[in-house]
């Protein structure tokens, strides 16, 4: 059976960041762009919450923002269709989910297949879903971490781009473990985006190869 493969483009890209909260991962990506580490621009920072703190940071940084309230739409598909329209108008190459706490419909996953990344605060495929740092503590796993992956309709199950591992300590709480993982998130997410626009990510089946 031949596997279809996808190779990321080598170009100066246009990114849409999606967030619902404070936006520290968005900041780490933007800082990497400002340092010249990533060949891209953030064309828009989008949120499903008009008062998300991350949107205020984006405005402070003179970035364009947009928000849509899901309550103004009849159902998830209609909401995501409006989101896709916002993106098409801005010629977006890559969506980076950065603490975007809303499940995407297949509509948007297909429209941006291989062009949609997420960061998750656990070593997928362990602990998909929410409150995963607490789950890692409760399970007594010795290691947890963070995963950057491409997004597919099956939540948190897309091809893995990069991961970082942290120890889970005996006296960890959800907060202390989250803080340790977040430090790694801020390294691996910009790294994944950098590799993407260097044209170095190749998706074959469910594996991602990093090309030299
Ligand atoms: C991050 O820890 C991110 O991994 C997590 O939300 C936090 C957002 O923080 N994402 C998920 O749990 C997605 N399921 P931030 O707003 O400071 O980037």
């Amino acid at each position: 059976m031949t596997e279809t493969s996808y190779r990321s483009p080598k170009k100066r890209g246009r990114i849409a960041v999606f967030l619902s909260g404070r936006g520290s991962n968005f900041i780490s990506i933007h800082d990497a762009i400002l340092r010249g580490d990533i060949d891209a621009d953030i064309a828009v920072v989008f949120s499903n919450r008009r008062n998300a703190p991350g949107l205020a940071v984006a405005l402070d940084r003179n970035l364009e923002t947009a928000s849509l309230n899901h309550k103004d739409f009849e159902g998830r598909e209609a909401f995501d269709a409006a989101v896709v329209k916002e993106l098409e108008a801005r010629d977006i190459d890559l969506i980076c989910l950065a603490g975007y706490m809303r499940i995407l419909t297949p509509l948007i996953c297909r429209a941006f297949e291989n062009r949609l990344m997420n960061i998750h605060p656990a070593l997928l495929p362990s602990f998909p879903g929410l409150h995963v740092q607490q789950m890692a503590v409760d399970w007594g796993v010795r290691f947890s971490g963070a995963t950057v992956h491409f997004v597919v309709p099956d939540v948190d199950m897309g091809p893995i781009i990069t991961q970082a591992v942290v120890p889970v300590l005996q006296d960890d709480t959800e907060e202390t473990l989250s803080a340790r993982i977040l430090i790694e998130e801020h390294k691996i997410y910009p790294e994944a985006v950098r590799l993407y626009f260097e044209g170095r990510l190749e998706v074959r089946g469910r594996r991602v190869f990093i090309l030299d």
Side-chain angles (χ1 to χ4, degrees):
M1 197 175 88
T2 49
E3 269 179 348
T4 49
S5 76
Y6 167 84
R7 180 155 177 191
S8 66
K10 182 169 165 47
K11 65 181 288 197
R12 184 160 187 89
R14 291 173 58 77
I15 298 173
V17 178
F18 283 25
L19 54 77
S20 303
R22 70 193 156 185
S24 72
N25 277 289
F26 143 60
I27 292 168
S28 74
I29 293 169
H30 191 225
D31 284 348
I33 289 172
L34 295 175
R35 283 196 304 273
D37 291 348
I38 299 174
D39 193 17
D41 297 297
I42 294 180
V44 66
V45 179
F46 172 79
S47 186
N48 58 325
R49 292 184 46 217
R50 197 166 39 88
N51 53 1
L55 279 188
V57 177
L59 284 172
D60 271 356
R61 291 176 169 230
N62 291 319
L63 294 170
E64 190 174 329
T65 63
S67 65
L68 291 172
N69 185 342
H70 64 91
K71 289 185 186 139
D72 295 338
F73 297 86
E74 276 183 31
R76 287 181 182 279
E77 290 268 334
F79 178 78
D80 276 0
V83 172
V84 168
K85 215 176 223 171
E86 288 274 338
L87 300 177
E88 278 169 357
R90 294 181 170 89
D91 198 18
I92 296 300
D93 297 298
L94 178 70
I95 301 174
C96 294
L97 304 184
Y100 184 64
M101 295 306 183
R102 200 179 153 79
I103 290 174
L104 301 182
T105 63
L107 181 109
I108 191 162
C109 296
R110 274 193 217 106
F112 282 84
E113 190 179 9
N114 295 316
R115 301 193 296 137
L116 179 42
M117 284 184 191
N118 181 41
I119 184 137
H120 182 78
L123 292 175
L124 292 172
S126 289
F127 305 125
L130 296 175
H131 306 295
V132 296
Q133 298 96 330
Q134 183 66 57
M135 282 168 69
V137 170
D138 292 345
W139 271 89
V141 293
R142 300 308 191 201
F143 296 94
S144 188
T147 303
V148 180
H149 62 96
F150 285 111
V151 175
V152 297
D154 207 1
V155 177
D156 294 333
M157 288 300 135
I160 290 169
I161 301 165
T162 177
Q163 292 185 304
V165 180
V166 305
V168 181
L169 307 180
Q170 303 214 110
D171 58 357
D172 262 336
T173 61
E174 181 179 18
E175 289 71 33
T176 57
L177 179 59
S178 299
R180 192 174 308 118
I181 292 172
L182 197 64
I183 291 169
E184 301 305 315
E185 293 185 36
H186 295 163
K187 296 177 193 162
I188 65 171
Y189 210 175
E191 169 75 1
V193 177
R194 177 175 71 77
L195 291 168
Y196 186 88
F197 287 115
E198 285 178 353
R200 292 175 59 195
L201 296 183
E202 188 166 282
V203 186
R204 290 182 225 153
R206 67 154 304 111
R207 293 181 67 190
V208 179
F209 291 80
I210 297 174
L211 307 176
D212 288 333

